[in-house]
């Protein structure tokens, strides 16, 4: 698994109603080893909590994707200039071979 790299799609867009990339392009499908679709709450401090898996092509990928979300810091949603919790943010993680 150390020869895998993660490509996170849509994880940097932390606003309510962000676009969710649900179908990878034909080229992405050919290069992908698998993917995981997750949903999480993003706290005002920029941490992912309440992480749930919607779909995983491989249970091992699921655990790696969850750890990836837990260890990253995100830009929280802002309302009236104040950071707020964003609930049910969707994240798609592709697993691709190192190039």
């Amino acid at each position: 698994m150390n020869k895998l790299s993660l490509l996170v799609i849509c994880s940097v867009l932390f606003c309510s109603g962000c676009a969710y990339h649900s179908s990878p392009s034909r080229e992405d499908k050919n290069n992908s080893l698998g993917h995981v679709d997750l949903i999480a709450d993003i706290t005002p401090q920029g941490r992912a909590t309440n992480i749930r898996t919607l779909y995983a092509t491989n249970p091992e990928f699921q655990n790696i994707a969850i750890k990836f979300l837990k260890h990253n810091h995100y830009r929280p949603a802002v309302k009236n200039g104040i950071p707020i919790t964003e609930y049910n943010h969707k994240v798609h993680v592709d697993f691709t071979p190192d190039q």
Side-chain angles (χ1 to χ4, degrees):
M1 296 307 279
N2 59 358
K3 292 190 176 192
L4 295 178
S5 60
L6 296 178
L7 171 64
V8 179
I9 299 172
C10 191
S11 67
V12 295
L13 301 174
F14 289 99
C15 60
S16 296
C18 95
Y20 175 57
H21 179 57
S22 61
S23 57
S25 70
R26 183 180 207 161
E27 183 177 312
D28 290 342
K29 287 180 184 178
N30 292 336
N31 291 328
S32 179
L33 297 175
H35 69 272
V36 180
D37 294 323
L38 303 147
I39 194 165
D41 299 336
I42 307 302
T43 68
Q45 295 76 30
R47 295 291 176 201
T49 62
N50 196 22
I51 301 168
R52 288 103 51 213
T53 303
L54 298 173
Y55 177 79
T57 57
N58 179 319
E60 191 171 333
F61 290 164
Q62 175 183 331
N63 294 332
I64 294 168
I66 289 171
K67 286 180 185 177
F68 178 79
L69 261 64
K70 284 182 179 180
H71 288 91
N72 282 301
H73 186 265
Y74 304 95
R75 188 175 27 173
V78 176
K79 184 175 182 179
N80 297 325
I82 300 170
I84 61 169
T85 298
E86 178 187 353
Y87 296 97
N88 301 320
H89 181 80
K90 293 180 181 177
V91 179
H92 178 91
V93 180
D94 277 328
F95 289 82
T96 58
D98 282 336
Q99 310 254 331

